[in-house]
């Protein structure tokens, strides 16, 4: 939503006419009309007067301006490669560490293993997309293959080992983010 539309929306929610908003903001009705249609831009001082007349603060006004991104493409991802351990880690949602959960995609080469994820307060979820893996969870070792789901608390160290001949891929989601 652009600024003019948002000002108009707030004005209508307050059940104010353009003339009433103009009077309260000490500008003309025509200027308010132009601002609402994005034909004119108010100065910072006038903009603050308009917001004051609408009973809102700048941080509240702009707080919802950026729509949360919902769809992420492969070009949004960033990659970390560990040649020593034999895995590639893709951060598939940029800056997800600021969110409640962080999804990543792991590609583990034949004979490779993921890094060891140390205990944390929270939970994790993994879904094996391709291949077969040994899942080391604390002192236990589980076998998991394509289509298998794993879910657990973050109270133990966990890592994945690929003992098969083919690359394995998994989706990992942790809450809270732990990378």
């Amino acid at each position: 939503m652009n600024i003019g539309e948002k000002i108009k929306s707030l004005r209508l929610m307050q059940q104010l006419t353009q003339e009433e908003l103009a009077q309260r903001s000490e500008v003309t009705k025509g200027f308010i009309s132009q601002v609402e249609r994005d034909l004119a831009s108010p100065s910072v001082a006038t903009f603050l007067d308009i917001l004051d007349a609408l009973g809102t603060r700048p941080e509240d006004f702009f707080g919802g301006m950026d729509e949360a991104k919902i769809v992420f493409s492969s070009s949004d991802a960033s990659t970390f490669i560990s040649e020593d351990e034999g895995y590639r880690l893709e951060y598939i949602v940029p800056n997800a560490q600021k969110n409640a959960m962080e999804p990543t995609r792991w590609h583990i080469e034949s004979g490779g293993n993921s890094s060891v994820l140390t205990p944390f307060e929270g939970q994790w979820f993994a879904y094996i997309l391709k291949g077969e893996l040994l899942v080391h969870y604390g002192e236990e070792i589980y076998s998991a293959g394509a289509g298998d789901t794993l879910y657990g608390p973050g109270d133990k160290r966990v890592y994945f080992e690929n003992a098969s001949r083919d690359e394995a891929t998994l989706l990992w989601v942790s809450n809270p983010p732990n990378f």
Side-chain angles (χ1 to χ4, degrees):
M1 177 184 286
N2 58 40
I3 291 173
E5 286 179 17
K6 186 143 186 185
I7 288 173
K8 182 177 181 178
S9 175
L10 288 170
R11 177 180 62 78
L12 293 173
M13 284 193 309
Q14 299 281 332
Q15 298 180 346
L16 295 173
T17 65
Q18 285 182 340
E19 189 167 333
E20 289 170 325
L21 179 57
Q23 287 174 350
R24 293 179 185 195
S25 306
E26 299 180 1
V27 295
T28 66
K29 175 186 171 191
F31 182 71
I32 293 294
S33 174
Q34 289 181 335
V35 168
E36 288 182 352
R37 293 180 291 144
D38 287 313
L39 299 175
S41 297
S43 67
V44 172
T46 301
F47 178 69
L48 293 174
D49 288 342
I50 292 170
L51 292 185
D52 189 48
L54 291 168
T56 191
R57 301 175 306 165
E59 55 268 28
D60 296 330
F61 181 85
F62 289 111
M65 291 294 285
D66 291 333
E67 295 292 323
K69 187 169 182 178
I70 300 298
V71 177
F72 298 91
S73 69
S74 59
S75 65
D76 292 321
S78 61
T79 303
F80 170 79
I81 298 172
S82 173
E83 292 178 10
D84 294 341
E85 294 179 0
Y87 73 90
R88 182 174 81 247
L89 173 62
E90 295 175 322
Y91 297 94
I92 56 179
V93 175
N95 300 315
Q97 68 275 10
K98 70 182 183 328
N99 298 330
M101 59 184 167
E102 181 176 35
T104 54
R105 186 170 42 230
W106 295 72
H107 302 272
I108 304 172
E109 297 173 5
S110 175
N113 56 273
S114 71
S115 62
V116 175
L117 304 165
T118 58
F120 65 98
E121 287 189 36
Q123 299 176 333
W124 57 268
F125 158 89
Y127 182 78
I128 311 300
L129 298 165
K130 179 178 96 172
E132 294 182 22
L133 292 166
L134 295 175
V135 182
H136 296 258
Y137 179 62
E139 299 301 317
E140 300 292 322
I141 300 174
Y142 302 93
S143 180
D148 289 343
T149 299
L150 301 101
Y151 183 90
D155 62 343
K156 298 176 183 172
R157 66 187 197 110
V158 63
Y159 70 96
F160 301 92
E161 177 185 0
N162 186 348
S164 73
R165 286 195 242 156
D166 300 315
E167 180 182 88
T169 304
L170 69 111
L171 177 67
W172 168 273
V173 180
S174 62
N175 175 6
N178 63 349
F179 291 102

